[in-house]
Amino acid sequence: MNRLSLAVSQAIARVTGSALGPYQTAVLRIGLGLTWLLFLLREYPHRQELYGPDSPWSWDLAAQLVGSNGAFTVLLWSDSQIWFEAVYALAVLFSLLLLLGWRTRTTAALFMAGVLTLQNRSVFMGDGGDNVLHIMAIYLVFTRCGQVWSLDARRARRAAEARARGERTPDRAGPALWAVLGLVLLLGSLSGRTDGDWFIPALLWAVWLGQAVWWLVGRLARTDQPRILLDVVANAVHNGALLVIMAEACLIYATAGWYKVQGSRWQDGTAVHYPLHLEYFSPWPSLAELFTASGTLVMLVTYVTVAVQVAFPFTLFNRRVKNVLLSFMILEHAVIAVVLGLPFFSLAMIAADAVFLPTSFLRRTGRVAARARERLRPREDAELVPPQLRPDGAPGGPPAVGPAEAAPVTDRVPGPRT
């Protein structure tokens, strides 16, 4: 009984004592933000047909569908062109801020709102990658994904250094952002714009209130106990969300693998051949022909794909096997991005796979990236130091010091040299 209670107490301490997987969640944040940002930028010339007034799925049809299923989208708050352009531009901005890790708790919620707003406006425009992005954007709000590799981490480090020097670093951007978002939420709630889906507005209000409590405790608490309690709650929520993200990724692969097992084309080893010869999935016909020239290669890729997807959830208990299969899946998604012309689907899946990457590998990658950044960063002009003279007057040596220039001695303590 003592061993059981000790194990339970250790598990609780581990779950509540720290936010697990800080590098993994940082990669997930960067990957999701980059995927959605690149997608919005690439589709910017076609934004009107995808989500705007020129979409085949008209504003009236979207309003009827959202009225029946209660999906969250702020694009249906108004049918004006100005409103659409503003929402699209804000979605791009929130993706960039999430990628950089600026105010990640707030920008993660705004990023989620942007993803849901555009995707729920035209639900028939998406694919499997959009579904992954849709789900992971909601889970990301519950994580502390800005602890490393973010502007938040740099700001926290600089604030700690300032406190160590006895200086104060007032935060003006945070309260201003909190006030603006609170006003928007209040206006949306009072006007009845958020009456459809209760979960997303409630989540946004919870993030807004949580930020207020966090700020008040940091300013008004006289002891560290309230802040420690908030850290415990935040760590527990983060770790629970990380577990759900990992379970969701396993469920995606397991479901895809078991459905493939039931398909006749996957059973006879020819399934990979057909999408490579569809015009929609063949941006490089010559490359597709090269891949399908060997029937043996097609059969091997087909069977290995099914085996890896079915087996991956069971390999999490063996780190080495898991890393091997994870490398294969990331490589497979990279090939899909190029050969089948599905870059955003592949980026979303690679971002989801990143939660299983080893911490040591991510740390080494971060150090390599930091060294590369330092090499590429332009160096500031070095301070010019006048050359010193040797006794013979040649440059480069110490200055000549004669007997008259010797340092004076006062009470056996050498004085400063002149």
Side-chain angles (χ1 to χ4, degrees):
M1 191 63 182
N2 292 332
R3 292 182 179 180
L4 178 61
S5 60
L6 180 61
V8 171
S9 62
Q10 290 177 348
I12 294 176
R14 181 172 177 77
V15 170
T16 60
S18 63
L20 303 177
Y23 293 93
Q24 286 80 359
T25 52
V27 174
L28 180 65
R29 183 200 81 235
I30 295 171
L32 295 181
L34 180 64
T35 301
W36 190 237
L37 176 63
L38 293 179
F39 174 79
L40 294 179
L41 293 178
R42 192 196 73 169
E43 299 298 341
Y44 184 80
H46 314 290
R47 65 192 185 283
Q48 301 288 349
E49 293 78 11
L50 287 175
Y51 308 112
D54 297 336
S55 174
W57 190 249
S58 65
W59 193 89
D60 293 331
L61 290 175
Q64 293 178 22
L65 180 61
V66 169
S68 62
N69 61 16
F72 175 85
T73 174
V74 302
L75 275 180
L76 298 182
W77 289 9
S78 174
D79 59 351
S80 68
Q81 179 68 26
I82 297 177
W83 177 249
F84 167 74
E85 295 291 350
V87 170
Y88 198 94
L90 288 175
V92 173
L93 176 62
F94 297 153
S95 302
L96 179 61
L97 293 179
L98 182 70
L99 172 65
L100 299 176
W102 185 80
R103 309 284 174 174
T104 49
R105 182 67 72 180
T106 301
T107 53
L110 297 175
F111 173 79
M112 174 198 68
V115 171
L116 299 184
T117 289
L118 294 176
Q119 290 187 355
N120 290 336
R121 165 62 178 85
S122 300
V123 294
F124 301 108
M125 297 295 180
D127 56 17
D130 295 304
N131 293 334
V132 173
L133 189 66
H134 189 111
I135 297 171
M136 294 299 176
I138 298 176
Y139 296 155
L140 194 67
V141 178
F142 297 92
T143 64
R144 308 182 76 175
C145 55
Q147 292 186 314
V148 297
W149 298 345
S150 65
L151 296 179
D152 285 351
R154 187 181 69 174
R155 187 177 68 254
R157 183 173 63 253
R158 290 181 175 178
E161 294 173 354
R163 287 194 299 270
R165 297 191 301 265
E167 302 175 358
R168 293 187 61 184
T169 55
D171 183 11
R172 298 182 178 88
L177 180 64
W178 177 85
V180 171
L181 296 181
L183 179 61
V184 173
L185 282 175
L186 181 61
L187 293 177
S189 299
L190 294 178
S191 61
R193 302 293 187 179
T194 59
D195 291 344
D197 181 19
W198 66 269
F199 176 73
I200 300 301
L203 180 58
L204 295 176
W205 275 114
V207 172
W208 186 80
L209 292 175
Q211 292 293 90
V213 173
W214 193 277
W215 185 83
L216 289 175
V217 167
R219 284 301 185 93
L220 303 180
R222 298 182 178 180
T223 64
D224 293 335
Q225 298 302 322
R227 190 59 177 266
I228 293 175
L229 177 60
L230 292 180
D231 272 326
V232 167
V233 174
N235 291 334
V237 172
H238 166 93
N239 295 329
L242 182 59
L243 178 63
V244 173
I245 291 172
M246 298 173 70
E248 184 69 34
C250 291
L251 182 62
I252 291 173
Y253 283 117
T255 303
W258 285 110
Y259 270 108
K260 287 182 174 65
V261 168
Q262 303 174 39
S264 59
R265 300 305 181 192
W266 292 95
Q267 293 176 4
D268 59 25
T270 61
V272 174
H273 172 85
Y274 297 100
L276 291 174
H277 288 80
L278 294 176
E279 183 179 358
Y280 183 77
F281 295 108
S282 298
W284 317 100
S286 58
L287 189 59
E289 290 290 344
L290 179 63
F291 269 88
T292 58
S294 173
T296 303
L297 179 61
V298 171
M299 182 185 65
L300 288 176
V301 172
T302 302
Y303 287 153
V304 170
T305 299
V306 176
V308 168
Q309 291 183 351
V310 172
F312 178 73
F314 302 100
T315 63
L316 298 181
F317 303 100
N318 189 304
R319 182 176 301 177
R320 293 182 178 179
V321 178
K322 182 261 296 182
N323 291 339
V324 171
L325 295 187
L326 186 61
S327 302
F328 175 83
M329 289 190 299
I330 292 177
L331 177 61
E332 181 183 37
H333 288 305
V335 173
I336 290 174
V338 177
V339 178
L340 296 181
L342 297 172
F344 304 111
F345 165 77
S346 299
L347 281 176
M349 290 305 304
I350 292 174
D353 294 340
V355 296
F356 300 104
L357 290 173
T359 302
S360 58
F361 169 77
L362 294 177
R363 286 178 174 175
R364 287 196 300 269
T365 304
R367 289 194 292 267
V368 171
R371 287 196 295 266
R373 182 186 61 188
E374 291 297 330
R375 292 176 181 176
L376 295 176
R377 179 182 299 175
R379 297 181 179 179
E380 298 180 356
D381 294 334
E383 183 180 358
L384 297 178
V385 179
Q388 297 176 339
L389 299 177
R390 293 194 183 100
D392 57 359
V401 179
E405 298 177 353
V409 178
T410 305
D411 295 334
R412 298 182 180 180
V413 179
R417 292 186 181 272
T418 58

